[in-house]
Amino acid sequence: MAGTGIGSFIQYAVMPPVLLLNRLQMAITAPEKYGVVTVGCELMQFWTTIEEDMLPIPVANHALAGSSTADVLAAADFQVIDHEPRVVVYCCGSNDLARGATPSQTAGGFTEFVDLVSSKLPDTQILFMSILRSPYQESIEKGEDVDRTNEIVRKFCDSHDKCTYLDINSIFQNGDGTARKEMYQFFDRHNLTSYAYAEISRITQHVLKKLWDKAGGDALEHLASREEEEMAGGEKEL
Protein backbone atom coordinates (compact mmCIF):
# COMPACT_ATOMS: atom_id res chain seq x y z
CA MET A 1 0.00 0.00 0.00
CA ALA A 2 1.05 3.60 -0.51
CA GLY A 3 2.72 5.28 2.45
CA THR A 4 1.00 7.29 5.14
CA GLY A 5 1.89 10.44 7.06
CA ILE A 6 3.57 13.62 5.84
CA GLY A 7 5.36 11.89 2.96
CA SER A 8 2.07 10.60 1.62
CA PHE A 9 0.46 14.03 2.04
CA ILE A 10 3.21 15.67 0.00
CA GLN A 11 2.91 12.97 -2.66
CA TYR A 12 -0.81 13.62 -3.06
CA ALA A 13 -0.39 17.41 -2.92
CA VAL A 14 1.85 17.41 -6.00
CA MET A 15 -0.01 14.65 -7.83
CA PRO A 16 -1.78 15.72 -11.06
CA PRO A 17 -5.57 16.03 -10.47
CA VAL A 18 -6.45 13.14 -12.77
CA LEU A 19 -4.13 10.80 -10.84
CA LEU A 20 -5.39 12.06 -7.51
CA LEU A 21 -8.97 11.35 -8.59
CA ASN A 22 -7.92 7.91 -9.77
CA ARG A 23 -6.23 7.29 -6.40
CA LEU A 24 -9.35 8.32 -4.51
CA GLN A 25 -11.54 6.11 -6.68
CA MET A 26 -9.34 3.09 -6.00
CA ALA A 27 -9.23 3.88 -2.28
CA ILE A 28 -13.00 3.45 -1.95
CA THR A 29 -12.70 -0.33 -2.03
CA ALA A 30 -9.99 -2.82 -1.22
CA PRO A 31 -7.78 -3.50 -4.26
CA GLU A 32 -8.67 -6.58 -6.26
CA LYS A 33 -5.82 -8.91 -7.09
CA TYR A 34 -5.52 -9.18 -10.84
CA GLY A 35 -3.42 -11.48 -12.94
CA VAL A 36 -2.54 -8.67 -15.39
CA VAL A 37 -2.60 -4.90 -14.90
CA THR A 38 -2.14 -2.47 -17.78
CA VAL A 39 -0.79 1.05 -17.26
CA GLY A 40 0.10 3.98 -19.47
CA CYS A 41 -1.46 6.65 -21.63
CA GLU A 42 -4.52 7.08 -23.82
CA LEU A 43 -3.38 4.47 -26.34
CA MET A 44 -3.89 1.86 -23.63
CA GLN A 45 -6.88 3.42 -21.86
CA PHE A 46 -8.88 3.54 -25.08
CA TRP A 47 -8.26 -0.16 -25.71
CA THR A 48 -11.70 -0.77 -24.22
CA THR A 49 -11.94 -4.41 -25.29
CA ILE A 50 -8.65 -5.59 -23.80
CA GLU A 51 -10.26 -7.43 -20.89
CA GLU A 52 -12.37 -9.43 -23.33
CA ASP A 53 -9.59 -9.76 -25.91
CA MET A 54 -7.15 -11.36 -23.46
CA LEU A 55 -9.53 -13.94 -21.96
CA PRO A 56 -9.14 -16.29 -20.20
CA ILE A 57 -6.31 -14.26 -18.67
CA PRO A 58 -7.82 -11.70 -16.25
CA VAL A 59 -6.87 -8.10 -17.08
CA ALA A 60 -7.52 -4.77 -15.34
CA ASN A 61 -6.88 -1.66 -17.46
CA HIS A 62 -5.57 1.16 -15.23
CA ALA A 63 -4.19 3.40 -17.99
CA LEU A 64 -5.13 7.09 -18.04
CA ALA A 65 -5.22 9.41 -21.07
CA GLY A 66 -2.49 12.04 -21.11
CA SER A 67 -0.18 10.14 -18.78
CA SER A 68 3.58 10.51 -18.97
CA THR A 69 6.14 8.02 -17.67
CA ALA A 70 6.44 10.19 -14.54
CA ASP A 71 2.68 9.91 -13.99
CA VAL A 72 2.79 6.13 -14.29
CA LEU A 73 5.67 6.01 -11.81
CA ALA A 74 3.81 8.28 -9.36
CA ALA A 75 0.73 6.05 -9.56
CA ALA A 76 2.59 2.74 -9.38
CA ASP A 77 1.67 1.98 -5.76
CA PHE A 78 -2.10 2.16 -6.21
CA GLN A 79 -2.34 1.23 -9.88
CA VAL A 80 0.06 -1.72 -9.74
CA ILE A 81 1.68 -2.68 -6.44
CA ASP A 82 -1.55 -2.90 -4.43
CA HIS A 83 -2.99 -5.34 -7.01
CA GLU A 84 -0.01 -7.73 -6.95
CA PRO A 85 -0.23 -8.63 -10.66
CA ARG A 86 1.69 -11.48 -12.22
CA VAL A 87 2.17 -9.39 -15.37
CA VAL A 88 2.17 -5.64 -16.05
CA VAL A 89 1.60 -4.32 -19.57
CA TYR A 90 3.22 -0.88 -19.97
CA CYS A 91 2.22 1.48 -22.81
CA CYS A 92 3.63 4.98 -22.29
CA GLY A 93 6.24 7.43 -23.54
CA SER A 94 4.60 9.13 -26.52
CA ASN A 95 3.39 12.04 -24.40
CA ASP A 96 6.84 12.52 -22.87
CA LEU A 97 8.41 12.91 -26.30
CA ALA A 98 5.63 15.18 -27.58
CA ARG A 99 6.20 17.45 -24.57
CA GLY A 100 9.93 17.75 -25.17
CA ALA A 101 11.53 14.95 -23.17
CA THR A 102 14.61 13.32 -24.66
CA PRO A 103 14.76 9.63 -25.56
CA SER A 104 17.03 8.99 -22.56
CA GLN A 105 14.64 10.76 -20.19
CA THR A 106 11.64 8.91 -21.59
CA ALA A 107 13.31 5.50 -21.45
CA GLY A 108 14.55 6.37 -17.96
CA GLY A 109 10.98 6.86 -16.80
CA PHE A 110 10.26 3.27 -17.78
CA THR A 111 13.41 1.80 -16.24
CA GLU A 112 12.60 3.58 -12.95
CA PHE A 113 9.15 1.97 -13.07
CA VAL A 114 10.69 -1.46 -13.64
CA ASP A 115 13.11 -0.96 -10.73
CA LEU A 116 10.25 0.04 -8.42
CA VAL A 117 7.94 -2.81 -9.38
CA SER A 118 10.74 -5.38 -9.29
CA SER A 119 11.80 -4.24 -5.81
CA LYS A 120 8.28 -4.81 -4.42
CA LEU A 121 7.01 -7.58 -6.70
CA PRO A 122 10.15 -9.51 -7.69
CA ASP A 123 8.24 -12.26 -9.53
CA THR A 124 6.13 -9.93 -11.68
CA GLN A 125 6.78 -9.87 -15.42
CA ILE A 126 6.65 -6.51 -17.26
CA LEU A 127 5.75 -6.17 -20.94
CA PHE A 128 6.71 -2.91 -22.68
CA MET A 129 4.68 -2.13 -25.79
CA SER A 130 6.80 -0.05 -28.15
CA ILE A 131 6.04 3.64 -28.55
CA LEU A 132 4.27 4.21 -31.85
CA ARG A 133 5.94 6.21 -34.60
CA SER A 134 2.57 7.70 -35.49
CA PRO A 135 1.82 10.28 -38.19
CA TYR A 136 1.38 12.78 -35.36
CA GLN A 137 4.86 12.08 -33.98
CA GLU A 138 6.23 12.46 -37.51
CA SER A 139 4.41 15.79 -37.94
CA ILE A 140 6.12 17.25 -34.86
CA GLU A 141 9.49 15.81 -35.94
CA LYS A 142 9.66 13.24 -33.14
CA GLY A 143 9.86 10.12 -35.30
CA GLU A 144 13.58 9.60 -34.75
CA ASP A 145 13.19 10.21 -31.02
CA VAL A 146 10.55 7.47 -30.93
CA ASP A 147 12.97 5.06 -32.62
CA ARG A 148 15.83 5.96 -30.25
CA THR A 149 13.64 5.57 -27.17
CA ASN A 150 12.39 2.19 -28.32
CA GLU A 151 15.94 1.03 -28.98
CA ILE A 152 17.10 2.07 -25.49
CA VAL A 153 14.17 0.23 -23.91
CA ARG A 154 14.67 -2.84 -26.11
CA LYS A 155 18.30 -3.14 -25.00
CA PHE A 156 17.26 -2.68 -21.37
CA CYS A 157 14.66 -5.43 -21.65
CA ASP A 158 17.16 -7.74 -23.31
CA SER A 159 19.31 -7.45 -20.17
CA HIS A 160 16.47 -7.77 -17.63
CA ASP A 161 14.94 -11.18 -16.93
CA LYS A 162 11.59 -9.73 -15.82
CA CYS A 163 11.15 -7.34 -18.75
CA THR A 164 9.98 -8.06 -22.31
CA TYR A 165 9.92 -5.68 -25.27
CA LEU A 166 7.07 -6.00 -27.78
CA ASP A 167 7.43 -4.19 -31.11
CA ILE A 168 4.03 -3.15 -32.43
CA ASN A 169 5.26 -0.58 -34.95
CA SER A 170 5.65 -3.15 -37.70
CA ILE A 171 1.90 -3.74 -37.97
CA PHE A 172 1.27 0.00 -38.31
CA GLN A 173 3.33 0.35 -41.48
CA ASN A 174 2.86 -0.51 -45.13
CA GLY A 175 5.54 -2.38 -47.03
CA ASP A 176 7.15 0.92 -48.10
CA GLY A 177 7.40 2.16 -44.52
CA THR A 178 4.49 4.60 -44.68
CA ALA A 179 1.80 4.61 -42.01
CA ARG A 180 -1.34 2.54 -42.49
CA LYS A 181 -4.01 5.24 -42.42
CA GLU A 182 -6.75 2.84 -41.34
CA MET A 183 -4.96 2.34 -38.02
CA TYR A 184 -5.27 5.93 -36.81
CA GLN A 185 -8.16 8.24 -35.97
CA PHE A 186 -8.34 10.81 -38.76
CA PHE A 187 -8.81 13.80 -36.44
CA ASP A 188 -5.44 13.58 -34.66
CA ARG A 189 -3.43 10.81 -36.41
CA HIS A 190 -2.38 9.59 -32.98
CA ASN A 191 -5.27 7.75 -31.32
CA LEU A 192 -6.18 4.37 -32.74
CA THR A 193 -9.13 2.80 -34.53
CA SER A 194 -10.93 -0.35 -33.43
CA TYR A 195 -9.25 -2.12 -36.33
CA ALA A 196 -5.83 -1.14 -34.95
CA TYR A 197 -6.70 -2.52 -31.52
CA ALA A 198 -7.79 -5.77 -33.10
CA GLU A 199 -4.39 -6.00 -34.79
CA ILE A 200 -2.55 -5.21 -31.54
CA SER A 201 -4.62 -7.82 -29.75
CA ARG A 202 -3.63 -10.43 -32.28
CA ILE A 203 0.10 -10.04 -31.61
CA THR A 204 -0.21 -9.34 -27.88
CA GLN A 205 -2.21 -12.44 -26.95
CA HIS A 206 0.61 -14.86 -27.72
CA VAL A 207 3.28 -12.87 -25.88
CA LEU A 208 1.06 -12.24 -22.87
CA LYS A 209 0.19 -15.93 -22.62
CA LYS A 210 3.90 -16.82 -22.55
CA LEU A 211 4.58 -14.27 -19.81
CA TRP A 212 1.54 -15.44 -17.86
CA ASP A 213 2.81 -19.02 -17.95
CA LYS A 214 6.34 -17.86 -17.08
CA ALA A 215 4.98 -16.01 -14.04
CA GLY A 216 3.15 -19.14 -12.91
CA GLY A 217 -0.34 -17.91 -13.70
CA ASP A 218 -3.39 -20.10 -14.09
CA ALA A 219 -6.07 -18.04 -15.80
CA LEU A 220 -8.92 -20.50 -15.55
CA GLU A 221 -8.44 -21.17 -11.84
CA HIS A 222 -8.09 -17.43 -11.18
CA LEU A 223 -11.30 -16.66 -13.00
CA ALA A 224 -13.16 -19.46 -11.25
CA SER A 225 -12.14 -18.17 -7.82
CA ARG A 226 -13.22 -14.63 -8.74
CA GLU A 227 -16.61 -15.87 -9.95
CA GLU A 228 -17.10 -17.85 -6.74
CA GLU A 229 -16.30 -14.77 -4.65
CA GLU A 230 -18.72 -12.61 -6.66
CA MET A 231 -21.47 -15.22 -6.32
CA ALA A 232 -20.88 -15.51 -2.60
CA GLY A 233 -21.10 -11.74 -2.29
CA GLY A 234 -24.38 -11.71 -4.20
CA GLU A 235 -25.87 -14.40 -1.96
CA LYS A 236 -24.97 -12.39 1.14
CA GLU A 237 -26.75 -9.32 -0.24
CA LEU A 238 -29.88 -11.40 -0.86
Side-chain angles (χ1 to χ4, degrees):
M1 294 289 289
T4 58
I6 187 64
S8 183
F9 174 80
I10 294 174
Q11 177 190 19
Y12 296 151
V14 300
M15 188 175 290
V18 67
L19 288 184
L20 180 57
L21 177 61
N22 183 240
R23 176 68 184 96
L24 293 174
Q25 289 173 332
M26 290 190 175
I28 294 174
T29 57
E32 293 188 55
K33 309 302 181 183
Y34 281 94
V36 177
V37 165
T38 66
V39 295
C41 65
E42 58 278 357
L43 299 182
M44 179 58 74
Q45 182 184 2
F46 298 154
W47 187 354
T48 57
T49 61
I50 188 170
E51 295 182 10
E52 179 182 350
D53 293 344
M54 295 300 117
L55 286 174
I57 296 174
V59 176
N61 191 346
H62 292 171
L64 291 172
S67 291
S68 65
T69 59
D71 294 329
V72 175
L73 183 63
D77 275 326
F78 59 85
Q79 286 188 347
V80 178
I81 306 300
D82 288 352
H83 300 272
E84 301 177 17
R86 289 191 175 98
V87 183
V88 178
V89 181
Y90 187 103
C91 177
C92 199
S94 59
N95 290 323
D96 298 60
L97 296 174
R99 296 166 187 166
T102 65
S104 294
Q105 290 170 332
T106 304
F110 171 67
T111 59
E112 284 187 68
F113 174 85
V114 173
D115 289 343
L116 175 63
V117 173
S118 295
S119 69
K120 297 187 177 183
L121 301 173
D123 296 324
T124 295
Q125 295 287 326
I126 301 172
L127 175 63
F128 179 90
M129 298 184 71
S130 65
I131 302 171
L132 285 179
R133 184 167 179 156
S134 66
Y136 171 72
Q137 294 285 9
E138 296 280 10
S139 72
I140 60 173
E141 300 181 349
K142 295 293 183 179
E144 292 185 2
D145 282 353
V146 169
D147 292 343
R148 284 197 291 270
T149 305
N150 283 332
E151 182 60 16
I152 294 171
V153 173
R154 185 191 65 77
K155 289 181 178 179
F156 172 80
C157 289
D158 285 347
S159 66
H160 198 293
D161 65 347
K162 299 297 182 183
C163 183
T164 299
Y165 177 86
L166 175 62
D167 175 32
I168 61 174
N169 271 294
S170 58
I171 65 172
F172 281 79
Q173 298 174 346
N174 295 307
D176 60 0
T178 59
R180 296 173 60 187
K181 294 181 180 179
E182 71 273 19
M183 305 289 269
Y184 298 96
Q185 298 284 356
F186 73 91
F187 61 88
D188 67 357
R189 298 179 298 166
H190 169 69
N191 284 294
L192 307 180
T193 63
S194 58
Y195 178 78
Y197 283 117
E199 290 289 283
I200 295 175
S201 175
R202 179 177 55 81
I203 65 172
T204 303
Q205 286 175 325
H206 175 67
V207 177
L208 188 57
K209 178 62 167 60
K210 288 179 65 175
L211 292 179
W212 176 259
D213 292 341
K214 187 176 181 179
D218 189 322
L220 295 178
E221 287 187 8
H222 189 95
L223 283 176
S225 63
R226 282 178 58 190
E227 289 175 355
E228 289 174 1
E229 290 174 2
E230 291 171 359
M231 291 178 65
E235 290 174 357
K236 289 179 181 178
E237 291 179 2
L238 292 175

